[in-house]
């Protein structure tokens, strides 16, 4: 009889990091349950957690590298794969220069140790065509908070202290379904309900009456793309009524008078028609927010991926600061991660747009250019044209805007390598696919998400079932490729990793304040392990809760974290603005010119008004982007990829429930079954993203049976937030008509 074991980890899908208990029999996963003893998630899980098992078992998941040939895909060995990938990339780079090889990092990388090695690969292939799913997601957040507080991302990004707030204003986020983003908070619904139970208020601003709106105290429809004007209007009301309070930020801000002047033109009576929220309601929300005791405004996807994403994102933090809620318990606070490479208050202040993209001159952020530039960088001839792409866990042809154009671009690439375990709509254009094991087969520590958590936590995710012996983890693949690309062929991976670790250790020791600590001591004391475990040990020990390599003996080490399988709660967020601020002035910059220069465009837009049908997206409980679409239990039930239409619009457009509608935008057209609902603002239709599994040569058999419509055939990468370069994914002008057959 095979042995039974129990393993503990966090669910690898979304940012909530829910603890799971996994029962294992031999190499089979018997069950996945919520871990009631996890102090952070308290037993909560959603249906996706079960996907850990189904992803492990999925027979469509690739287990060996494959190469595209004239007669189909052919399995090759890892050694052959490494050789071919290195040869091709070096050949293309020699011929066309550094920029000719592009890298795109997708969402699952944020849940994988490979992220620690993504910049090693970046250094091995120095270029300026680095894309990231962050740029179709939260680029405005990175830019706005880094300009205001100084960076490095994400260390100077304030997080809503949801467990202690009395007024939670949610703008363009649906945390009941998404479970939070850039705000790690498992058991989200309970946390939201607790605000109301303790006499506080949850207010949702969203063009859809979302699952979050349904448990909130109050919900208001907003016309997509108009949040910047709504939020600046709240700030206007504060000045108009002398309600501005600075709290902990008093004496630590720059640009207050400028903000007062800049928001003068945002009176409720001027904004109300544009955004669709009555002037009286806007005035009331402003007064309630500032008078509530601790309050926090939180904006996510709906405020980021829209026409005025940078302005709207900036305005979220302005509101928190000018109501005295920055760095206040229950307000917007800075997480002090137990293990982080981004050390607060240290390093060079953030600079935005140090250089521009080759074709359309869009600004870089932290060495990455907006994903809206990817197709043009591949399609536009000239020096620096991208000829090869390295795809790191992304289904970019479904997740980035204007997939049809992007597909045309990918077809003409000389070489594509995908680090991915599915043959899907994107990886079918790869020449080589390098599949790495599923999350159940690898350990992990959520070093990214714990840095944005609403409490301080640390937890080691154990390996549940061993990966096959000849299956390298994604970090090993990146390490090996990087070593070969820099020509260190005589070294072993371990030796190469030792060199990388020495650099990381030197960087970290310089930025942390442990007495008499030397790089040599760190290297010596970390010599037992290598790879990501060694890095995490280093970060934990040097971090704010660490043992400082023996200098604080009861502090954290990787060993102590591993010894607590349910995770460790390290307490609530603490006020710490002074140590965090890293702007050149040492003050919070309330009005960075890189942001405020876009106000003229917003005012022009307000003068034009807004009408016509627009499209927004929709996240769904049983999907995680496109990654979970091959998992049978998550694909059960009625068709989910529906076009939601308000009753008023359905009547007026002649659309009927379940019948097909055709949605057309400037760049594409898709068909989807109609779902008439009372939950949408009239004038707005909604389709979920991640769908469109309609390519016969994909290897995802379950997904192909539920293809759905691809929303990104409608989004247009040439329509972007001009200040940040981010593609607009919500508020897309469309026409909708019944499909007559
Ligand atoms: N179940 C599930 N959970 C997920 C994911 C998933 O795919 N499925 N994806 C994960 C990822 S990668 C992320 S980044 C997070 C995202 O987390 P969230 O941002 O919370 O998720 P969304 O559902 O995209 O929420 C955006 C909301 O903005 C609204 N909206 C659209 N346009 C506008 C607008 O112009 N103004 C305003 N005010 N609102 C607008 C939409 O109706 C929607 O409710 O979710 C994560 N969690
Ligand atoms: N219209 C519209 N578009 C959107 C959004 C939206 O709201 N609306 N949301 C955007 C957002 S916020 C995001 S983050 C992006 C997400 O978009 P992507 O970053 O492209 O994420 P996925 O679609 O999940 O694709 C992930 C890929 O990684 C592979 N993969 C998954 N897990 C692993 C693993 O553990 N190992 C390996 N080797 N491979 C793995 C999968 O096979 C898949 O090919 O989508 C964006 N696109
Ligand atoms: S909310 Fe669901 S998908 Fe997200 S971590 Fe928890 S169980 Fe996983
Ligand atoms: Mo995302």
């Amino acid at each position: 009889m095979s042995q039974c074991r129990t393993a503990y980890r966090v669910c690898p899908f979304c940012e909530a990091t829910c603890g799971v208990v996994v029962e294992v029999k031999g190499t089979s996963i018997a069950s996945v349950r919520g871990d009631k003893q996890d102090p952070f998630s308290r037993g909560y899980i959603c249906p996706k957690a079960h996907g850990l098992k189904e992803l492990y078992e999925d027979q469509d998941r690739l287990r060996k590298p494959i190469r595209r040939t004239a007669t189909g895909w052919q399995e090759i060995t890892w050694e052959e794969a490494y050789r071919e990938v290195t040869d091709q990339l070096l050949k293309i780079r020699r011929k066309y220069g550094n920029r000719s090889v592009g890298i795109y990092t997708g969402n699952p990388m944020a849940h994988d140790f490979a992220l620690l090695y993504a910049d090693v690969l970046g250094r091995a292939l120095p270029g300026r065509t680095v894309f990231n799913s962050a740029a179709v997601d939260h680029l405005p957040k990175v830019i706005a908070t880094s300009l205001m507080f100084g960076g490095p991302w994400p260390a100077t990004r304030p997080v809503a202290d949801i467990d202690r707030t009395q007024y939670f204003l949610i703008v363009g986020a649906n945390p009941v379904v998404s479970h939070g983003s850039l705000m790690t908070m498992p058991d989200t619904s309970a946390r939201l309900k607790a605000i109301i139970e303790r006499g506080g208020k949850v207010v949702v601003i969203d063009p859809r009456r979302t699952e979050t709106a349904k448990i909130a105290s109050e919900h208001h429809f907003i016309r997509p793309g108009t949040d910047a004007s709504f939020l600046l209007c709240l700030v206007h009301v504060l000045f108009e009524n002398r309600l501005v309070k600075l709290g902990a930020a008093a004496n630590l801000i720059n640009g207050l008078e400028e903000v007062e002047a800049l928001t003068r033109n945002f009176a409720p009576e001027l904004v109300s028609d544009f955004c669709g929220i009555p002037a009286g309601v806007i005035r009331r929300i402003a007064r309630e927010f500032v008078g509530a005791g601790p309050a926090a405004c939180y904006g996510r996807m709906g405020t980021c991926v829209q026409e005025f994403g940078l302005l709207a994102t900036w305005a979220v933090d302005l509101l928190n600061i000018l109501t005295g809620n920055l760095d206040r318990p229950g307000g917007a606070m800075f997480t002090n991660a137990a293990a982080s490479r981004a050390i607060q208050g240290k390093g060079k202040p953030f600079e935005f747009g140090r250089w521009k993209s080759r074709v359309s001159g869009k600004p870089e952020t932290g060495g990455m250019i907006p994903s809206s530039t990817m197709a043009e960088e591949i399609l536009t001839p000239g020096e620096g044209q991208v000829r090869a792409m390295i795809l790191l866990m992304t289904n970019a042809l479904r997740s980035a805007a204007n997939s049809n154009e992007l597909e045309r671009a990918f077809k003409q690439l000389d070489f594509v390598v995908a680090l991915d375990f599915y043959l899907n709509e994107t990886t079918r254009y790869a020449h080589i696919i390098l599949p790495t094991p599923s999350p159940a087969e690898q350990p992990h520590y959520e070093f990214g998400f714990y840095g944005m958590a609403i409490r301080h936590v640390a937890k080691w995710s154990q390996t549940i079932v061993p990966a096959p012996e000849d299956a390298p983890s994604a970090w090993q693949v990146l390490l090996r490729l990087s070593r070969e690309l820099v020509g260190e062929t005589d070294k072993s991976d371990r030796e190469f990793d030792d060199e990388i670790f020495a650099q990381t250790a030197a960087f970290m020791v310089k930025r942390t304040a442990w007495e008499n600590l030397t790089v040599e001591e760190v290297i010596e004391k970390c010599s037992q392990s290598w790879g990501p475990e060694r890095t995490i040990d280093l970060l934990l020990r040097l971090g704010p809760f660490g043992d400082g390599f023996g200098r604080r003996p009861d502090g954290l080490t990787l060993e102590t974290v591993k010894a607590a399988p349910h995770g460790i709660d390290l307490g609530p967020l603490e006020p710490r603005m002074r140590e965090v601020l890293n702007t050149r002035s040492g003050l919070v910059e309330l009005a960075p010119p890189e942001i405020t220069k876009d106000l003229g465009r917003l005012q022009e837009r307000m003068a034009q008004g807004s009408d016509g049908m627009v499209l927004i997206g929709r996240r769904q409980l049983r999907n995680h982007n496109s990654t979970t679409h091959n998992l049978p239990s998550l694909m059960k039930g009625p068709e989910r990829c529906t076009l939601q239409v308000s009753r008023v619009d359905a009547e007026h457009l002649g659309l009927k429930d379940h019948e097909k509608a055709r949605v057309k935008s400037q760049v594409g057209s898709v068909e989807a079954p109609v779902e008439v609902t009372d939950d949408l603002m009239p004038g707005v239709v909604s389709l979920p993203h991640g769908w469109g599994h309609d390519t016969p040569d994909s290897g995802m058999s379950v997904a192909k049976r539920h293809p759905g419509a691809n929303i990104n055939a409608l989004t247009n990468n040439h329509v972007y937030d001009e200040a940040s370069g981010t593609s607009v994914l919500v508020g897309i002008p469309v026409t909708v008509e019944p499909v007559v057959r």
Side-chain angles (χ1 to χ4, degrees):
M1 220 182 86
S2 48
Q3 218 190 338
C4 296
R5 288 179 293 116
T6 306
Y8 302 90
R9 60 163 293 141
V10 303
C11 164
F13 294 111
C14 85
E15 300 177 32
T17 69
C18 299
V20 291
V21 183
V22 188
E23 301 298 341
V24 187
K25 282 195 187 129
T27 57
S28 304
I29 297 180
S31 70
V32 180
R33 285 179 287 117
D35 183 357
K36 292 201 177 94
Q37 292 180 66
D38 183 306
F40 199 26
S41 59
R42 313 179 290 210
Y44 178 84
I45 49 167
C46 83
K48 289 186 292 300
H50 189 68
L52 193 61
K53 169 178 157 70
E54 288 195 332
L55 192 50
Y56 170 60
E57 291 168 352
D58 190 349
Q59 286 310 308
D60 288 341
R61 189 165 55 77
L62 302 170
R63 266 90 172 161
K64 293 264 160 48
I66 52 174
R67 169 170 47 202
R68 184 146 51 96
T69 70
T71 52
W73 291 96
Q74 173 196 40
E75 245 178 45
I76 53 175
T77 65
W78 277 99
E79 286 306 313
E80 283 171 307
Y82 289 134
R83 196 170 327 120
E84 183 152 346
V85 170
T86 316
D87 287 352
Q88 290 291 345
L89 292 176
L90 289 176
K91 193 175 89 190
I92 289 169
R93 196 174 59 162
R94 261 196 306 272
K95 196 159 165 201
Y96 301 110
N98 278 353
R99 283 189 180 210
S100 62
V101 179
I103 304 180
Y104 191 109
T105 305
N107 172 280
M109 282 284 285
H111 296 272
D112 195 292
F113 276 143
L115 194 62
L116 290 171
Y117 287 81
D119 51 356
V120 177
L121 180 70
R123 286 199 297 275
L125 280 171
R128 291 191 161 183
T129 31
V130 179
F131 311 96
N132 195 314
S133 64
V136 285
D137 177 340
H138 57 259
L139 185 57
K141 204 60 128 197
V142 179
I143 300 167
T145 58
S146 302
L147 287 172
M148 294 172 89
F149 307 109
W153 174 263
T156 65
R157 178 248 178 292
V159 174
D161 184 18
I162 180 176
D163 287 347
R164 292 181 288 185
T165 199
Q166 284 301 105
Y167 193 104
F168 193 37
L169 179 60
I170 304 177
V171 188
N174 186 12
V176 166
V177 168
S178 70
H179 298 98
S181 174
L182 307 185
M183 181 175 177
T184 288
M185 50 166 173
D187 204 8
T188 321
S189 299
R191 292 190 138 96
L192 290 171
K193 286 177 189 156
I195 300 175
I196 300 172
E197 278 158 21
R198 60 178 177 263
K201 231 175 170 182
V202 177
V203 178
V204 174
I205 308 291
D206 199 299
R208 194 167 77 84
R209 189 174 297 111
T210 58
E211 296 75 0
T212 306
K214 286 178 183 167
I215 65 162
S217 326
E218 200 174 304
H219 164 243
H220 302 280
F221 284 138
I222 188 166
R223 179 89 191 152
T226 65
D227 300 81
S229 67
F230 162 73
L231 289 159
L232 293 172
C233 182
L234 294 176
V235 173
H236 169 100
V237 176
L238 297 177
F239 281 109
E240 184 192 56
N241 294 284
R242 300 187 183 285
L243 292 171
V244 170
K245 285 203 270 193
L246 294 173
N251 306 321
L252 281 178
I253 53 164
N254 216 357
L256 185 64
E257 279 151 31
E258 212 178 328
V259 172
E260 180 170 14
L262 289 170
T263 52
R264 221 161 260 150
N265 294 329
F266 289 87
E269 290 65 27
L270 295 175
V271 167
S272 166
D273 275 356
F274 181 57
C275 73
I277 304 180
V281 172
I282 303 179
R283 286 186 193 283
R284 176 172 60 76
I285 292 177
R287 288 210 186 87
E288 286 182 1
F289 192 92
V290 71
C297 178
Y298 167 66
R300 249 327 258 125
M301 284 298 282
T303 52
C304 281
V305 293
Q306 57 148 291
E307 201 183 341
F308 299 98
L310 188 58
L311 285 175
T313 304
W314 164 65
V316 166
D317 282 309
L318 264 190
L319 181 65
N320 286 326
I321 299 165
L322 299 180
T323 49
N325 283 300
L326 183 66
D327 208 31
R328 172 191 195 183
M333 306 187 76
F334 299 97
T335 313
N336 200 6
S340 173
R341 286 193 297 182
I343 301 295
Q344 281 134 326
K346 297 284 156 64
K348 262 179 40 189
F350 172 74
E351 273 179 81
F352 174 46
R354 294 166 299 178
W355 44 271
K356 303 281 193 290
S357 69
R358 178 182 69 102
V359 179
S360 56
K362 295 202 180 70
E364 67 75 50
T365 305
M368 153 187 100
I369 51 177
S371 306
S372 59
T373 63
M374 187 158 46
E376 67 193 23
E377 290 290 337
I378 300 171
L379 289 167
T380 313
E383 205 185 319
Q385 179 180 11
V386 173
R387 310 280 180 154
M389 282 297 297
I390 303 175
L391 304 175
L392 305 177
M393 306 189 197
T394 175
N395 191 357
L397 296 191
R398 289 298 172 267
S399 57
N402 202 347
S403 9
N404 294 333
E405 188 186 75
L406 207 49
E407 188 152 349
R408 276 201 303 283
F410 268 54
K411 276 185 188 158
Q412 71 165 53
L413 285 168
D414 293 348
F415 185 69
V416 179
V417 55
L419 181 78
D420 206 297
F421 51 42
Y422 281 130
L423 174 57
N424 62 20
E425 299 78 26
T426 302
T427 59
R428 70 198 175 113
Y429 287 108
H431 296 80
I432 293 202
I433 304 180
L434 305 175
T436 51
S438 75
E441 297 158 87
Q442 304 173 77
H444 193 51
Y445 179 92
E446 294 282 358
F447 56 91
F449 297 114
Y450 291 156
M452 296 187 267
I454 56 140
R455 285 186 73 83
H456 297 131
V457 285
K459 177 164 178 165
W460 183 253
S461 283
Q462 301 171 348
T463 301
I464 294 171
V465 276
E469 237 163 58
D470 59 345
S473 286
W475 69 268
Q476 288 170 308
V477 175
L478 296 195
L479 179 71
R480 168 72 187 258
L481 284 177
S482 306
R483 179 169 70 72
E484 303 255 347
L485 286 165
V486 296
E488 300 273 24
T489 40
D490 295 342
K491 290 207 174 90
S492 67
D493 283 348
R494 166 78 202 236
E495 284 164 338
F496 189 54
D497 191 57
D498 285 345
E499 282 173 18
I500 297 162
F501 180 76
Q503 288 162 14
T504 311
F507 176 88
M508 293 300 300
V509 167
K510 211 162 83 192
R511 282 168 173 75
T512 46
W514 295 98
E515 223 168 282
N516 303 325
L517 186 67
T518 62
V519 179
E520 291 70 33
E521 181 186 340
V522 166
I523 291 175
E524 155 70 29
K525 289 189 169 161
C526 288
S527 60
Q528 296 306 310
S529 63
W530 67 293
E533 296 209 13
R534 173 165 60 173
T535 306
I536 297 298
D537 192 29
L538 168 82
L539 299 180
L540 281 167
R541 299 182 78 173
L542 292 183
F545 303 94
D547 84 331
F549 288 91
R551 286 160 184 77
R552 182 167 60 199
D554 59 347
L556 296 182
T557 64
L558 182 57
E559 209 181 317
T560 55
V561 172
K562 280 185 175 175
H566 306 289
I568 304 175
D569 179 47
L570 298 161
L573 307 188
E574 306 271 1
R576 50 195 293 272
M577 177 160 32
R578 277 178 198 272
E579 71 182 272
V580 166
L581 283 182
N582 192 32
T583 53
R584 226 169 272 289
S585 61
L587 303 171
V588 176
E589 291 295 345
L590 290 183
E594 297 90 332
I595 302 176
T596 56
K597 70 171 189 209
D598 204 27
L599 281 165
R601 188 172 66 96
L602 174 62
Q603 280 179 307
E604 270 168 40
R605 191 75 182 73
M606 284 167 67
Q608 284 164 11
S610 47
D611 52 9
M613 185 68 82
V614 292
L615 173 73
I616 61 168
R618 186 165 89 244
R619 280 187 157 68
Q620 300 175 306
L621 189 62
R622 287 172 175 270
N623 316 339
H624 184 73
N625 301 317
S626 73
T627 288
T628 52
H629 283 180
N630 210 48
L631 308 182
S633 75
L634 297 177
M635 296 301 274
K636 280 191 312 214
E639 175 152 13
R640 289 205 295 272
C641 187
T642 57
L643 180 78
Q644 288 193 337
V645 188
S646 75
R647 207 164 290 282
V648 186
D649 290 324
E651 249 164 54
H652 151 80
L653 294 166
L655 300 171
K656 297 217 167 52
D657 240 341
H658 310 299
E659 291 184 7
K660 280 223 160 146
R662 185 174 299 112
V663 191
K664 282 191 202 153
S665 74
Q666 269 173 326
V667 294
S669 160
V670 301
E671 291 181 8
V674 169
E675 181 186 342
V676 179
T677 170
D678 292 323
D679 291 337
L680 265 186
M681 183 176 196
V684 179
V685 290
S686 163
L687 262 182
H689 79 281
W691 297 85
H693 308 294
D694 49 0
T695 48
D697 48 351
S698 143
M700 296 173 76
S701 55
V702 179
K704 278 203 290 197
R705 289 201 296 275
H706 309 267
N710 170 18
I711 186 175
N712 286 321
L714 302 171
T715 55
N716 183 354
N717 52 341
H718 303 290
V719 177
Y720 52 90
D721 167 27
E722 284 181 20
S724 69
T726 314
S727 297
V728 172
L729 302 180
V730 298
I732 311 298
V734 288
T735 57
V736 183
E737 61 192 17
V739 174
V740 187
R741 300 221 193 266

